[in-house]
Amino acid sequence: MKNKALKRLIYGLSVLLTSLPCFSFAIINPVKHDTVTAGYKLKTVVIDAGHGTRPNGSHSGASGSYSTESNVTLAIALKLQKAIEKDIPDLRVVMTRTSEADVGLKTRSEIANSNKGDLFISIHCNSLSDRRVREVVGHKRGKAIYKSYSVPDRSGKGVLFLVYGFHRSEEEQEALRENLFEEKDNSEQQNVLDDPASIIAINAFKAKYRKQSIHFANMLNTEFTEGDGRRSDGVKEQGVLVLCHSAMPAVLVETGFINNHEEEDYLNSEAGQDAIVATIVRALGSYKAEVEQVSQ
């Protein structure tokens, strides 16, 4: 291979494929690893507090009866940062936002990629759309007259975990390209990207990161349901831009339904936030120990 970038990419791929655990997976069902090799360290985790406050003062994201998703996610993310630094001190924590100000989705991914994150965790609150109700309001000539209107659907409860879907794989591939090549010479980089070996390497990274995303999401799901007794809608794939643009394993955590009065109280309480943080830290500690395990 004549190109230095391609050499580094192929070398990096060989290291990754031999130093990270290989997982078989299926959405929702827990997965088991089959090989682990010494050498890899989980060094940097990126914590993303979803949404934020726009310049005009409005909040992006969902709202409850007295709180907003942007404020709840920031509170949980800041507590999560402190908990990781305390309980897993050798793990560097990078935050995509530490204030109320909103941060663009592309900027969040750029922060994660520029800091060479090994894992991306995005914190969110869920919410259900209003449901349509149709009822009889009278009769005319023997026929019922109906009226339709919207009412809040507050039936949602529990956690949900999202990983990026295959339908955004091209965007994720572009993020990997930008993150894996360091050359500033665009013509040289394009020659590398057109090389079949380079394409194979990028696809291998993409497959590896997807498997790890699903595996970590399942670990979170297990901790929340079995360790914390929370109801869960499981692990699902969705075209979440911030996940597929982050060139690393990435999971979005829906911590609860903010438009459910009971859940909103839980999400805003010290006890609820502490429980959510502790559960994520347990899963993160287990995941880190697993990928760093030395094979016998």
Side-chain angles (χ1 to χ4, degrees), residues 30-285:
V31 296
K32 296 180 179 180
H33 65 283
D34 46 38
T35 61
V36 183
T37 306
Y40 177 77
K41 293 292 183 182
L42 191 73
K43 297 178 180 178
T44 302
V45 59
V46 181
I47 305 300
D48 174 50
H51 302 283
T53 304
R54 302 186 181 98
N56 63 5
S58 64
H59 295 271
S60 64
S63 297
S65 60
Y66 62 86
S67 64
T68 63
E69 178 177 10
S70 61
N71 287 339
V72 170
T73 58
L74 180 60
I76 293 174
L78 290 173
K79 287 187 175 184
L80 181 57
Q81 178 189 22
K82 291 181 179 180
I84 294 172
E85 290 172 346
K86 176 180 179 292
D87 296 340
I88 316 176
D90 62 331
L91 185 58
R92 174 180 173 231
V93 181
V94 172
M95 305 289 287
T96 61
R97 72 177 178 103
T98 56
S99 70
E100 292 186 2
D102 197 5
V103 177
L105 296 178
K106 185 177 180 181
T107 301
R108 294 171 191 260
S109 297
E110 288 174 348
I111 291 170
N113 294 337
S114 64
N115 280 279
K116 304 300 179 185
D118 298 303
L119 183 64
F120 185 90
I121 304 174
S122 189
I123 307 297
H124 285 255
C125 298
N126 217 337
S127 180
L128 291 178
S129 301
D130 291 350
R131 58 188 178 89
R132 297 290 294 176
V133 174
R134 188 167 180 256
E135 65 177 19
V136 177
V137 295
H139 292 80
K140 185 176 181 180
R141 297 178 182 177
K143 294 184 178 180
I145 301 174
Y146 293 91
K147 179 182 179 181
S148 296
Y149 55 93
S150 297
V151 297
D153 187 348
R154 307 191 190 282
S155 62
K157 190 172 184 179
V159 294
L160 170 68
F161 308 95
L162 301 178
V163 297
Y164 61 85
F166 275 126
H167 56 292
R168 298 197 81 148
S169 61
E170 289 185 5
E171 294 174 63
E172 194 232 351
Q173 183 166 306
E174 182 62 29
L176 283 169
R177 286 177 175 178
E178 293 177 359
N179 207 37
L180 292 172
F181 294 101
E182 299 176 359
E183 269 71 18
K184 303 300 183 181
D185 188 330
N186 290 334
S187 61
E188 182 184 9
Q189 186 181 90
Q190 188 58 51
N191 289 335
V192 176
L193 297 181
D194 289 338
D195 189 283
S198 146
I199 296 172
I200 292 171
I202 289 173
N203 286 336
F205 271 99
K206 184 168 64 175
K208 173 67 70 173
Y209 290 161
R210 178 175 167 81
K211 290 179 182 179
Q212 291 171 327
S213 298
I214 293 171
H215 182 66
F216 181 58
N218 275 309
M219 293 180 76
L220 284 166
N221 187 54
T222 299
E223 284 294 342
F224 271 96
T225 55
E226 298 181 8
D228 206 27
R230 295 289 301 282
R231 182 187 179 281
S232 174
D233 287 328
V235 178
K236 298 181 181 180
E237 64 174 35
Q238 197 173 103
V240 181
L241 187 146
V242 74
L243 297 184
C244 70
H245 283 195
S246 298
M248 64 201 68
V251 177
L252 187 149
V253 182
E254 296 280 11
T255 55
F257 285 81
I258 197 170
N259 70 333
N260 174 316
H261 295 317
E262 181 183 348
E263 292 256 301
E264 182 179 18
D265 288 343
Y266 181 78
L267 292 171
N268 281 274
S269 69
E270 290 291 328
Q273 292 179 2
D274 289 345
I276 290 168
V277 166
T279 303
I280 295 174
V281 171
R282 286 198 307 271
L284 180 58

